[in-house]
Coordinates of all heavy atoms in Angstrom, one line a residue:
M1 N 44.4 14.8 -70.5 CA 43.0 15.0 -70.0 C 42.8 14.1 -68.8 O 42.9 12.8 -68.9 CB 42.0 14.8 -71.1 CG 40.6 15.1 -70.7 SD 39.6 15.1 -72.2 CE 38.0 14.8 -71.5
E2 N 42.4 14.6 -67.7 CA 42.3 13.9 -66.5 C 40.8 13.3 -66.5 O 39.8 14.0 -66.8 CB 42.5 14.9 -65.3 CG 43.0 14.0 -64.1 CD 43.5 15.0 -63.1 OE1 44.4 15.8 -63.4 OE2 43.1 14.9 -61.9
K3 N 40.7 12.1 -65.9 CA 39.4 11.5 -65.8 C 38.7 12.1 -64.5 O 39.3 12.1 -63.5 CB 39.5 10.0 -65.7 CG 40.1 9.3 -66.9 CD 40.2 7.9 -66.6 CE 40.8 7.2 -67.8 NZ 41.1 5.7 -67.6
E4 N 37.4 12.4 -64.7 CA 36.6 12.8 -63.6 C 36.3 11.5 -62.7 O 35.8 10.5 -63.2 CB 35.3 13.4 -64.0 CG 34.5 14.0 -62.8 CD 33.1 14.3 -63.2 OE1 32.8 14.1 -64.4 OE2 32.4 14.7 -62.4
I5 N 36.7 11.6 -61.4 CA 36.5 10.5 -60.4 C 35.3 10.8 -59.7 O 35.1 11.9 -59.1 CB 37.6 10.3 -59.5 CG1 38.9 10.0 -60.2 CG2 37.3 9.2 -58.5 CD1 38.9 8.7 -61.0
V6 N 34.3 9.9 -59.7 CA 33.0 10.0 -59.0 C 32.8 8.9 -58.1 O 33.5 7.8 -58.2 CB 31.8 10.2 -60.0 CG1 32.0 11.4 -60.9 CG2 31.8 8.9 -60.7
R7 N 31.9 9.1 -57.1 CA 31.6 8.0 -56.2 C 30.1 8.1 -56.0 O 29.5 9.1 -55.8 CB 32.3 8.2 -54.8 CG 32.0 7.1 -53.8 CD 32.8 7.2 -52.6 NE 32.7 6.0 -51.7 CZ 33.5 5.0 -51.7 NH1 34.6 5.0 -52.5 NH2 33.3 3.9 -51.0
F8 N 29.4 7.0 -55.9 CA 28.0 6.8 -55.7 C 27.7 5.8 -54.8 O 28.2 4.8 -54.7 CB 27.3 6.5 -57.1 CG 27.2 7.6 -58.0 CD1 28.2 7.9 -58.9 CD2 26.0 8.5 -58.0 CE1 28.1 8.9 -59.9 CE2 25.9 9.5 -58.9 CZ 26.9 9.7 -59.9
F9 N 26.6 6.1 -53.9 CA 25.9 5.0 -53.2 C 24.8 4.6 -54.0 O 24.2 5.4 -54.7 CB 25.5 5.6 -51.8 CG 24.6 4.6 -51.1 CD1 25.2 3.7 -50.3 CD2 23.2 4.7 -51.1 CE1 24.3 2.7 -49.6 CE2 22.4 3.8 -50.5 CZ 23.0 2.8 -49.7
A10 N 24.5 3.3 -54.1 CA 23.3 2.7 -54.9 C 22.7 1.8 -54.1 O 23.3 1.0 -53.2 CB 23.9 2.3 -56.2
R11 N 21.4 1.6 -54.4 CA 20.6 0.5 -53.8 C 19.8 -0.2 -54.9 O 19.1 0.5 -55.7 CB 19.5 1.1 -52.9 CG 18.7 0.0 -52.1 CD 17.8 0.8 -51.1 NE 16.9 -0.1 -50.4 CZ 15.7 -0.3 -50.9 NH1 15.2 0.5 -51.9 NH2 14.9 -1.1 -50.3
A12 N 20.0 -1.5 -55.2 CA 19.4 -2.3 -56.1 C 18.4 -3.1 -55.6 O 18.5 -3.7 -54.6 CB 20.4 -3.2 -56.9
E13 N 17.2 -3.2 -56.3 CA 16.0 -3.9 -55.9 C 15.7 -4.9 -57.0 O 16.0 -4.6 -58.3 CB 14.8 -3.1 -55.5 CG 15.0 -2.3 -54.4 CD 13.8 -1.4 -54.1 OE1 13.3 -0.8 -55.1 OE2 13.4 -1.3 -52.9
G14 N 15.0 -6.0 -56.7 CA 14.5 -7.0 -57.7 C 15.1 -8.3 -57.3 O 15.2 -8.7 -56.1
R15 N 15.3 -9.2 -58.3 CA 16.0 -10.4 -58.0 C 17.5 -10.3 -57.9 O 18.2 -10.4 -58.8 CB 15.6 -11.5 -59.0 CG 15.8 -12.9 -58.6 CD 15.1 -13.9 -59.4 NE 15.7 -13.9 -60.8 CZ 15.2 -14.7 -61.7 NH1 14.0 -15.3 -61.7 NH2 15.7 -14.6 -63.0
V16 N 17.8 -9.9 -56.7 CA 19.3 -9.5 -56.5 C 20.0 -10.2 -55.4 O 21.2 -10.0 -55.1 CB 19.5 -8.0 -56.4 CG1 19.2 -7.3 -57.6 CG2 18.7 -7.5 -55.2
Q17 N 19.3 -11.2 -54.7 CA 19.9 -11.9 -53.6 C 19.7 -13.4 -53.9 O 18.6 -13.7 -54.5 CB 19.3 -11.6 -52.3 CG 19.7 -10.2 -51.7 CD 19.5 -10.1 -50.2 OE1 19.3 -11.0 -49.5 NE2 19.6 -8.8 -49.8
G18 N 20.8 -14.2 -53.7 CA 20.7 -15.6 -53.9 C 20.9 -15.9 -55.4 O 20.6 -17.1 -55.8
V19 N 21.3 -15.0 -56.2 CA 21.5 -15.2 -57.6 C 23.0 -14.8 -58.0 O 23.2 -14.7 -59.3 CB 20.5 -14.4 -58.5 CG1 19.1 -15.1 -58.3 CG2 20.5 -12.9 -58.2
G20 N 23.9 -14.6 -57.1 CA 25.2 -14.2 -57.5 C 25.4 -12.7 -57.9 O 26.4 -12.3 -58.5
F21 N 24.5 -12.0 -57.4 CA 24.6 -10.4 -57.8 C 25.8 -9.7 -57.2 O 26.4 -9.0 -58.0 CB 23.3 -9.8 -57.3 CG 23.2 -8.3 -57.7 CD1 22.9 -7.9 -58.9 CD2 23.4 -7.3 -56.7 CE1 22.8 -6.6 -59.3 CE2 23.4 -5.9 -57.0 CZ 23.1 -5.7 -58.4
R22 N 26.1 -10.1 -56.0 CA 27.3 -9.3 -55.4 C 28.6 -9.7 -56.1 O 29.3 -8.8 -56.5 CB 27.4 -9.6 -54.0 CG 26.4 -9.0 -53.0 CD 26.5 -9.4 -51.6 NE 26.3 -10.9 -51.6 CZ 26.6 -11.6 -50.5 NH1 27.1 -11.0 -49.4 NH2 26.5 -12.9 -50.5
F23 N 28.7 -10.9 -56.5 CA 29.9 -11.4 -57.3 C 29.9 -10.8 -58.6 O 30.9 -10.3 -59.2 CB 29.9 -12.9 -57.3 CG 31.1 -13.4 -58.2 CD1 32.3 -13.3 -57.6 CD2 30.9 -13.9 -59.4 CE1 33.5 -13.8 -58.4 CE2 32.0 -14.4 -60.1 CZ 33.3 -14.3 -59.6
F24 N 28.7 -10.7 -59.3 CA 28.5 -10.1 -60.5 C 29.0 -8.6 -60.5 O 29.7 -8.2 -61.4 CB 27.0 -10.2 -60.9 CG 26.7 -9.5 -62.3 CD1 26.8 -10.2 -63.4 CD2 26.1 -8.3 -62.2 CE1 26.4 -9.5 -64.6 CE2 25.7 -7.6 -63.5 CZ 25.8 -8.2 -64.7
V25 N 28.5 -7.9 -59.5 CA 28.9 -6.5 -59.4 C 30.4 -6.4 -59.2 O 31.1 -5.6 -59.8 CB 28.1 -5.9 -58.3 CG1 28.7 -4.4 -57.9 CG2 26.6 -5.7 -58.6
Q26 N 30.9 -7.2 -58.2 CA 32.4 -7.2 -57.9 C 33.2 -7.5 -59.2 O 34.1 -6.6 -59.5 CB 32.7 -8.1 -56.8 CG 34.1 -8.1 -56.5 CD 34.5 -9.3 -55.5 OE1 34.1 -10.4 -55.7 NE2 35.3 -9.0 -54.5
Q27 N 32.8 -8.5 -59.9 CA 33.6 -8.8 -61.0 C 33.6 -7.7 -62.2 O 34.6 -7.4 -62.7 CB 33.1 -10.1 -61.7 CG 33.8 -10.6 -62.9 CD 33.3 -12.0 -63.3 OE1 32.1 -12.4 -63.1 NE2 34.2 -12.8 -64.1
N28 N 32.4 -7.2 -62.4 CA 32.2 -6.2 -63.5 C 33.0 -4.9 -63.0 O 33.6 -4.2 -63.8 CB 30.8 -6.0 -63.9 CG 30.3 -7.0 -64.8 OD1 30.7 -7.0 -65.9 ND2 29.5 -7.9 -64.2
A29 N 32.9 -4.6 -61.7 CA 33.5 -3.4 -61.2 C 35.0 -3.4 -61.4 O 35.7 -2.4 -61.8 CB 33.1 -3.0 -59.8
A30 N 35.5 -4.6 -61.1 CA 37.1 -4.8 -61.1 C 37.5 -4.7 -62.6 O 38.5 -4.0 -62.8 CB 37.4 -6.1 -60.5
E31 N 36.7 -5.3 -63.5 CA 37.1 -5.2 -64.9 C 37.1 -3.8 -65.4 O 37.8 -3.4 -66.3 CB 36.1 -6.1 -65.7 CG 36.3 -7.5 -65.6 CD 35.2 -8.4 -66.2 OE1 34.3 -7.9 -67.0 OE2 35.2 -9.6 -66.0
L32 N 36.1 -2.9 -64.8 CA 36.0 -1.6 -65.2 C 37.1 -0.6 -64.5 O 37.0 0.6 -64.7 CB 34.6 -1.1 -65.0 CG 33.7 -1.7 -66.0 CD1 32.2 -1.4 -65.4 CD2 33.8 -1.1 -67.4
G33 N 37.8 -1.2 -63.4 CA 38.8 -0.4 -62.8 C 38.2 0.4 -61.6 O 38.8 1.4 -61.2
L34 N 37.1 -0.1 -61.1 CA 36.4 0.7 -60.0 C 36.7 0.1 -58.7 O 37.1 -1.0 -58.6 CB 34.8 0.6 -60.3 CG 34.3 1.1 -61.6 CD1 32.9 0.7 -61.8 CD2 34.5 2.7 -61.6
C35 N 36.6 0.9 -57.7 CA 36.7 0.3 -56.3 C 35.4 0.7 -55.6 O 34.5 1.4 -56.0 CB 37.9 1.1 -55.7 SG 37.8 2.9 -55.4
G36 N 35.3 0.1 -54.4 CA 34.1 0.2 -53.5 C 33.7 -1.0 -52.9 O 34.6 -1.9 -52.5
W37 N 32.4 -1.2 -52.6 CA 31.9 -2.4 -52.0 C 30.4 -2.6 -52.4 O 29.8 -1.8 -52.8 CB 32.1 -2.3 -50.5 CG 31.4 -1.0 -49.8 CD1 32.1 0.1 -49.6 CD2 30.1 -0.8 -49.6 NE1 31.2 1.1 -49.2 CE2 29.9 0.5 -49.1 CE3 29.0 -1.6 -49.5 CZ2 28.7 1.0 -48.6 CZ3 27.8 -1.1 -49.2 CH2 27.6 0.1 -48.6
V38 N 30.1 -3.9 -52.0 CA 28.7 -4.3 -52.3 C 28.2 -5.2 -51.2 O 29.0 -5.9 -50.6 CB 28.4 -5.0 -53.7 CG1 29.3 -6.2 -53.7 CG2 27.0 -5.3 -54.0
R39 N 27.0 -5.0 -50.7 CA 26.5 -5.8 -49.5 C 25.0 -6.1 -49.6 O 24.2 -5.2 -50.0 CB 26.7 -5.0 -48.3 CG 26.2 -5.6 -47.0 CD 26.3 -4.7 -45.7 NE 26.8 -3.4 -45.9 CZ 27.6 -2.7 -45.1 NH1 27.9 -3.3 -43.9 NH2 28.0 -1.6 -45.3
N40 N 24.6 -7.3 -49.2 CA 23.2 -7.7 -49.1 C 22.6 -7.0 -47.9 O 23.2 -6.8 -46.8 CB 23.0 -9.2 -48.9 CG 23.1 -10.0 -50.2 OD1 23.1 -9.3 -51.3 ND2 23.2 -11.3 -50.0
M41 N 21.2 -6.6 -48.0 CA 20.6 -6.0 -46.9 C 19.5 -6.9 -46.5 O 18.9 -7.7 -47.3 CB 20.0 -4.6 -47.4 CG 21.1 -3.6 -47.9 SD 22.4 -3.3 -46.7 CE 21.5 -2.4 -45.5
E42 N 19.0 -6.8 -45.3 CA 17.9 -7.7 -44.8 C 16.6 -7.6 -45.5 O 15.9 -8.4 -45.4 CB 17.8 -7.3 -43.3 CG 18.9 -7.9 -42.4 CD 18.6 -7.7 -40.8 OE1 17.4 -7.5 -40.5 OE2 19.7 -7.7 -40.1
D43 N 16.4 -6.3 -46.1 CA 15.0 -6.2 -46.8 C 15.0 -6.9 -48.2 O 14.0 -6.7 -48.9 CB 14.7 -4.7 -46.8 CG 15.7 -3.9 -47.7 OD1 16.6 -4.5 -48.3 OD2 15.4 -2.7 -47.8
G44 N 16.1 -7.5 -48.6 CA 16.2 -8.1 -49.9 C 16.8 -7.3 -50.9 O 17.0 -7.8 -52.1
S45 N 17.2 -6.0 -50.6 CA 17.9 -5.2 -51.6 C 19.5 -5.4 -51.4 O 19.9 -6.2 -50.6 CB 17.6 -3.8 -51.3 OG 18.0 -3.2 -50.1
V46 N 20.1 -4.8 -52.3 CA 21.6 -4.9 -52.2 C 22.1 -3.4 -52.3 O 21.7 -2.6 -53.2 CB 22.2 -5.7 -53.4 CG1 23.8 -5.6 -53.3 CG2 21.8 -7.1 -53.2
T47 N 23.0 -3.0 -51.3 CA 23.6 -1.7 -51.5 C 25.0 -1.8 -51.9 O 25.7 -2.8 -51.7 CB 23.4 -1.0 -50.1 OG1 24.1 -1.7 -49.1 CG2 22.0 -0.7 -49.7
M48 N 25.6 -0.7 -52.3 CA 26.9 -0.6 -52.8 C 27.4 0.9 -52.8 O 26.7 1.8 -52.9 CB 27.0 -1.2 -54.1 CG 26.4 -0.5 -55.3 SD 26.1 -1.6 -56.8 CE 24.5 -2.2 -56.4
E49 N 28.6 1.0 -52.7 CA 29.4 2.2 -53.1 C 30.4 1.9 -54.2 O 31.1 1.1 -54.1 CB 30.0 2.9 -51.8 CG 29.1 3.5 -50.9 CD 29.6 4.5 -49.9 OE1 30.8 4.9 -50.0 OE2 29.0 4.7 -48.9
V50 N 30.3 2.8 -55.2 CA 31.1 2.6 -56.3 C 31.9 3.8 -56.7 O 31.2 5.0 -56.7 CB 30.2 2.2 -57.6 CG1 31.1 2.1 -58.9 CG2 29.4 1.0 -57.3
Q51 N 33.2 3.7 -57.0 CA 34.0 4.8 -57.2 C 34.9 4.6 -58.4 O 35.5 3.5 -58.5 CB 34.8 5.2 -56.0 CG 35.8 6.4 -56.1 CD 36.4 6.8 -54.9 OE1 35.8 7.1 -53.9 NE2 37.8 6.9 -55.0
G52 N 35.2 5.6 -59.2 CA 36.1 5.4 -60.4 C 35.8 6.6 -61.4 O 35.0 7.5 -61.1
A53 N 36.2 6.3 -62.6 CA 35.9 7.2 -63.7 C 34.5 7.3 -64.0 O 33.8 6.2 -64.0 CB 36.8 6.8 -64.9
A54 N 33.9 8.4 -64.2 CA 32.5 8.6 -64.5 C 32.0 7.6 -65.6 O 30.9 7.1 -65.4 CB 32.2 10.0 -64.8
K55 N 32.7 7.5 -66.7 CA 32.3 6.6 -67.7 C 32.2 5.2 -67.4 O 31.4 4.4 -67.8 CB 33.1 6.8 -69.0 CG 32.9 8.1 -69.7 CD 33.5 8.2 -71.0 CE 33.1 9.5 -71.7 NZ 33.6 9.6 -73.1
A56 N 33.2 4.7 -66.6 CA 33.3 3.5 -66.0 C 32.1 3.1 -65.0 O 31.5 2.1 -65.2 CB 34.7 3.1 -65.3
V57 N 31.8 4.1 -64.2 CA 30.6 3.9 -63.3 C 29.4 3.7 -64.1 O 28.4 2.9 -63.8 CB 30.5 5.0 -62.3 CG1 29.2 5.0 -61.5 CG2 31.8 5.1 -61.3
E58 N 29.2 4.6 -65.1 CA 28.0 4.5 -66.0 C 27.9 3.2 -66.6 O 26.8 2.5 -66.8 CB 28.0 5.7 -67.1 CG 26.8 5.7 -67.9 CD 26.8 6.9 -68.9 OE1 27.5 7.9 -68.6 OE2 26.2 6.8 -69.9
A59 N 29.0 2.6 -67.2 CA 29.1 1.4 -67.8 C 28.7 0.3 -66.8 O 28.0 -0.7 -67.1 CB 30.5 1.1 -68.3
L60 N 29.0 0.3 -65.5 CA 28.7 -0.6 -64.5 C 27.1 -0.6 -64.3 O 26.4 -1.6 -64.2 CB 29.3 -0.3 -63.2 CG 28.9 -1.3 -62.0 CD1 29.4 -2.8 -62.4 CD2 29.6 -0.9 -60.7
W61 N 26.5 0.6 -64.2 CA 25.1 0.8 -64.0 C 24.4 0.0 -65.2 O 23.4 -0.7 -65.1 CB 24.6 2.2 -64.0 CG 25.1 3.2 -62.9 CD1 25.2 4.4 -63.0 CD2 25.5 2.8 -61.5 NE1 25.7 4.9 -61.7 CE2 25.8 3.9 -60.8 CE3 25.6 1.5 -60.9 CZ2 26.3 3.9 -59.5 CZ3 26.0 1.6 -59.6 CH2 26.3 2.7 -58.9
N62 N 24.9 0.2 -66.4 CA 24.3 -0.5 -67.6 C 24.4 -1.9 -67.5 O 23.4 -2.7 -67.8 CB 25.0 0.0 -68.8 CG 24.7 1.5 -69.2 OD1 23.7 2.0 -68.9 ND2 25.6 2.1 -70.0
K63 N 25.6 -2.5 -67.1 CA 25.7 -3.9 -66.8 C 24.7 -4.5 -65.8 O 24.1 -5.4 -65.8 CB 27.1 -4.2 -66.5 CG 28.1 -4.1 -67.6 CD 29.5 -4.5 -67.2 CE 30.4 -4.4 -68.4 NZ 30.3 -5.5 -69.3
I64 N 24.5 -3.7 -64.6 CA 23.5 -4.0 -63.6 C 22.2 -4.1 -64.1 O 21.4 -5.0 -63.9 CB 23.8 -3.1 -62.4 CG1 25.1 -3.3 -61.6 CG2 22.5 -3.2 -61.4 CD1 25.4 -2.3 -60.6
W65 N 21.8 -3.2 -64.9 CA 20.5 -3.1 -65.5 C 20.2 -4.3 -66.4 O 19.2 -4.9 -66.4 CB 20.2 -1.8 -66.3 CG 19.7 -0.7 -65.3 CD1 20.3 0.5 -65.0 CD2 18.4 -0.6 -64.7 NE1 19.6 1.2 -64.2 CE2 18.4 0.6 -63.9 CE3 17.3 -1.5 -64.6 CZ2 17.4 0.9 -63.1 CZ3 16.3 -1.1 -63.6 CH2 16.3 0.1 -63.0
Q66 N 21.3 -4.6 -67.2 CA 21.2 -5.8 -68.1 C 21.0 -7.0 -67.3 O 20.4 -7.9 -67.8 CB 22.4 -5.9 -68.9 CG 22.4 -5.0 -70.1 CD 23.7 -5.2 -71.0 OE1 24.8 -5.3 -70.4 NE2 23.6 -5.2 -72.3
G67 N 21.8 -7.3 -66.2 CA 21.8 -8.4 -65.4 C 22.3 -9.6 -66.2 O 23.1 -9.5 -67.1
N68 N 21.7 -10.8 -65.9 CA 22.1 -12.1 -66.7 C 20.9 -12.9 -66.6 O 19.7 -12.5 -66.3 CB 23.3 -12.7 -66.1 CG 23.2 -13.1 -64.6 OD1 22.2 -13.3 -64.1 ND2 24.4 -13.2 -64.0
G69 N 21.0 -14.2 -66.8 CA 19.9 -15.0 -66.9 C 19.2 -15.2 -65.4 O 18.0 -15.7 -65.4
Y70 N 19.9 -14.9 -64.3 CA 19.4 -15.1 -63.0 C 19.1 -13.7 -62.4 O 18.1 -13.6 -61.6 CB 20.4 -15.7 -62.1 CG 20.9 -17.0 -62.7 CD1 22.0 -17.2 -63.3 CD2 20.0 -18.2 -62.6 CE1 22.3 -18.5 -64.0 CE2 20.4 -19.4 -63.0 CZ 21.5 -19.6 -63.7 OH 21.9 -20.8 -64.3
I71 N 19.9 -12.7 -62.6 CA 19.7 -11.4 -62.0 C 18.7 -10.5 -62.9 O 18.8 -10.6 -64.0 CB 21.0 -10.6 -62.1 CG1 22.0 -11.3 -61.1 CG2 20.9 -9.2 -61.6 CD1 23.5 -10.9 -61.3
R72 N 17.7 -10.0 -62.0 CA 16.8 -9.0 -62.6 C 16.6 -7.8 -61.8 O 15.9 -8.0 -60.7 CB 15.5 -9.8 -62.9 CG 15.5 -10.7 -64.0 CD 14.2 -10.8 -64.8 NE 14.4 -11.8 -65.9 CZ 14.3 -13.1 -65.7 NH1 14.1 -13.7 -64.6 NH2 14.4 -13.9 -66.8
V73 N 17.2 -6.7 -62.1 CA 17.1 -5.6 -61.3 C 15.8 -4.7 -61.8 O 15.5 -4.5 -63.0 CB 18.3 -4.6 -61.6 CG1 18.1 -3.3 -60.9 CG2 19.6 -5.4 -61.1
S74 N 14.9 -4.4 -60.7 CA 13.7 -3.8 -61.1 C 13.9 -2.4 -60.6 O 13.0 -1.4 -61.0 CB 12.6 -4.4 -60.4 OG 12.7 -4.3 -58.9
G75 N 14.8 -1.9 -59.9 CA 15.1 -0.6 -59.4 C 16.5 -0.3 -59.0 O 17.1 -1.2 -58.4
L76 N 17.1 0.8 -59.4 CA 18.4 1.1 -59.0 C 18.5 2.6 -58.7 O 18.4 3.5 -59.5 CB 19.4 0.8 -60.1 CG 20.8 1.1 -59.9 CD1 21.4 0.1 -58.8 CD2 21.8 0.9 -61.1
E77 N 18.5 2.8 -57.4 CA 18.6 4.3 -56.9 C 20.1 4.7 -56.7 O 20.8 3.8 -56.1 CB 17.9 4.4 -55.6 CG 16.4 4.1 -55.6 CD 15.7 4.0 -54.2 OE1 16.4 4.6 -53.3 OE2 14.7 3.5 -54.2
T78 N 20.5 5.7 -57.2 CA 21.9 6.2 -57.0 C 21.9 7.6 -56.4 O 21.1 8.4 -56.6 CB 22.7 6.2 -58.3 OG1 22.1 7.2 -59.2 CG2 22.7 4.8 -59.0
Q79 N 23.0 7.9 -55.5 CA 23.2 9.0 -54.9 C 24.7 9.4 -54.8 O 25.5 8.6 -54.4 CB 22.5 9.0 -53.4 CG 22.7 10.4 -52.7 CD 22.1 10.2 -51.3 OE1 22.0 9.0 -50.7 NE2 21.7 11.3 -50.7
A80 N 25.0 10.6 -55.4 CA 26.4 11.0 -55.5 C 27.0 11.1 -54.0 O 26.3 11.7 -53.1 CB 26.5 12.3 -56.2
Q81 N 28.2 10.8 -53.9 CA 28.9 10.9 -52.7 C 30.3 11.6 -53.0 O 30.7 11.7 -54.1 CB 29.2 9.5 -52.1 CG 28.1 8.6 -51.9 CD 27.3 9.0 -50.6 OE1 27.8 9.2 -49.6 NE2 26.0 9.2 -50.9
E82 N 31.0 12.0 -52.0 CA 32.4 12.5 -52.1 C 33.2 11.4 -52.3 O 33.1 10.4 -51.7 CB 32.7 13.2 -50.8 CG 32.1 14.7 -50.7 CD 32.5 15.6 -51.7 OE1 33.8 15.6 -52.1 OE2 31.7 16.3 -52.4
P83 N 34.1 11.5 -53.3 CA 35.2 10.4 -53.6 C 36.1 10.3 -52.3 O 36.3 11.2 -51.4 CB 36.1 11.0 -54.7 CG 35.1 11.9 -55.4 CD 34.3 12.5 -54.3
S84 N 36.5 9.0 -52.1 CA 37.2 8.6 -50.9 C 38.6 8.2 -51.4 O 38.8 7.6 -52.4 CB 36.5 7.3 -50.3 OG 37.4 6.9 -49.3
S85 N 39.6 8.7 -50.7 CA 40.9 8.3 -51.0 C 41.5 7.0 -50.3 O 40.9 6.7 -49.2 CB 41.9 9.4 -50.6 OG 41.9 9.7 -49.2
G86 N 42.4 6.3 -50.9 CA 42.9 5.1 -50.2 C 42.3 3.9 -50.6 O 42.8 2.8 -50.2
E87 N 41.1 3.9 -51.2 CA 40.5 2.6 -51.6 C 41.0 2.1 -52.9 O 41.1 3.0 -53.9 CB 39.0 3.0 -51.7 CG 38.1 1.7 -51.5 CD 36.6 2.1 -51.3 OE1 36.1 3.1 -51.9 OE2 35.9 1.4 -50.7
R88 N 41.3 0.9 -53.0 CA 42.0 0.3 -54.2 C 41.3 -0.9 -54.9 O 41.5 -1.1 -56.0 CB 43.4 -0.1 -53.9 CG 44.3 1.0 -53.4 CD 44.6 2.1 -54.5 NE 45.5 3.0 -54.0 CZ 45.0 4.3 -53.9 NH1 43.8 4.7 -54.3 NH2 45.9 5.3 -53.6
E89 N 40.4 -1.6 -54.1 CA 39.7 -2.7 -54.6 C 38.1 -2.6 -54.5 O 37.7 -1.7 -53.8 CB 40.2 -4.0 -54.1 CG 40.9 -4.0 -52.7 CD 41.4 -5.3 -52.4 OE1 42.6 -5.7 -52.8 OE2 40.7 -6.0 -51.5
F90 N 37.5 -3.6 -55.1 CA 36.1 -3.6 -55.0 C 35.8 -4.9 -54.1 O 36.0 -6.0 -54.5 CB 35.4 -3.7 -56.2 CG 33.9 -3.3 -56.1 CD1 33.5 -2.0 -56.4 CD2 33.0 -4.2 -55.8 CE1 32.2 -1.6 -56.3 CE2 31.7 -3.9 -55.7 CZ 31.3 -2.6 -55.9
A91 N 35.2 -4.7 -52.8 CA 35.0 -5.8 -52.0 C 33.5 -6.2 -51.7 O 32.6 -5.4 -51.9 CB 35.5 -5.5 -50.6
I92 N 33.3 -7.5 -51.5 CA 32.0 -7.9 -51.1 C 32.0 -7.8 -49.5 O 32.8 -8.4 -48.9 CB 31.7 -9.3 -51.5 CG1 31.6 -9.4 -53.0 CG2 30.5 -9.9 -50.9 CD1 31.5 -10.8 -53.5
R93 N 31.0 -7.1 -48.9 CA 30.9 -7.0 -47.5 C 29.7 -7.8 -47.0 O 28.8 -8.1 -47.7 CB 30.6 -5.6 -47.1 CG 31.8 -4.6 -47.3 CD 31.6 -3.3 -46.8 NE 32.6 -2.4 -46.9 CZ 32.7 -1.1 -46.7 NH1 31.6 -0.6 -46.1 NH2 33.8 -0.4 -46.8
Y94 N 29.9 -8.4 -45.8 CA 29.0 -9.4 -45.1 C 28.4 -8.7 -43.9 O 29.0 -7.9 -43.3 CB 29.7 -10.6 -44.9 CG 30.1 -11.3 -46.2 CD1 31.4 -11.2 -46.6 CD2 29.3 -12.1 -46.9 CE1 31.9 -11.8 -47.8 CE2 29.7 -12.7 -48.0 CZ 31.0 -12.6 -48.5 OH 31.5 -13.2 -49.6

């Protein structure tokens, strides 16, 4: 049975800058076997593109909503994208 590969653009709001959020997302995405990127935005939000097995992406969203002692997400908007070929890792963009 083949895993469905999905890709999403997402925008997280809340306490997501200056609290290690990008590293948190990168670490959890890598553990789940996902690829893509995450980046801080000037308006205080964080955007990302996440690609991989649908269940793994859903697991990442759950981890993002949970956060940790520092991270508090108050909003997470997601939008489906076309999967991209050739991407192998999850990067922090600056």
Side-chain angles (χ1 to χ4, degrees):
M1 184 168 158
E2 212 168 301
K3 294 179 184 175
E4 180 189 6
I5 300 300
V6 296
R7 185 177 189 93
F8 283 90
F9 172 82
R11 182 173 176 267
E13 295 180 315
R15 195 164 67 189
V16 293
Q17 287 195 17
V19 291
F21 182 75
R22 289 176 300 167
F23 179 74
F24 175 85
V25 171
Q26 180 189 43
Q27 184 176 19
N28 282 286
E31 288 173 7
L32 291 164
L34 301 170
C35 62
W37 54 265
V38 61
R39 172 182 12 210
N40 282 348
M41 304 305 290
E42 288 184 18
D43 67 359
S45 68
V46 175
T47 58
M48 64 197 90
E49 285 197 14
V50 178
Q51 178 173 304
K55 286 188 177 191
V57 172
E58 186 176 333
L60 180 63
W61 299 152
N62 289 334
K63 287 178 180 286
I64 287 172
W65 275 113
Q66 278 182 319
N68 61 24
Y70 303 101
I71 296 165
R72 287 214 180 78
V73 174
S74 62
L76 182 66
E77 300 170 18
T78 62
Q79 182 178 25
Q81 304 285 308
E82 283 296 316
S84 174
S85 62
E87 202 169 31
R88 299 287 177 251
E89 25 183 77
F90 200 93
I92 294 176
R93 291 190 176 171
Y94 298 93

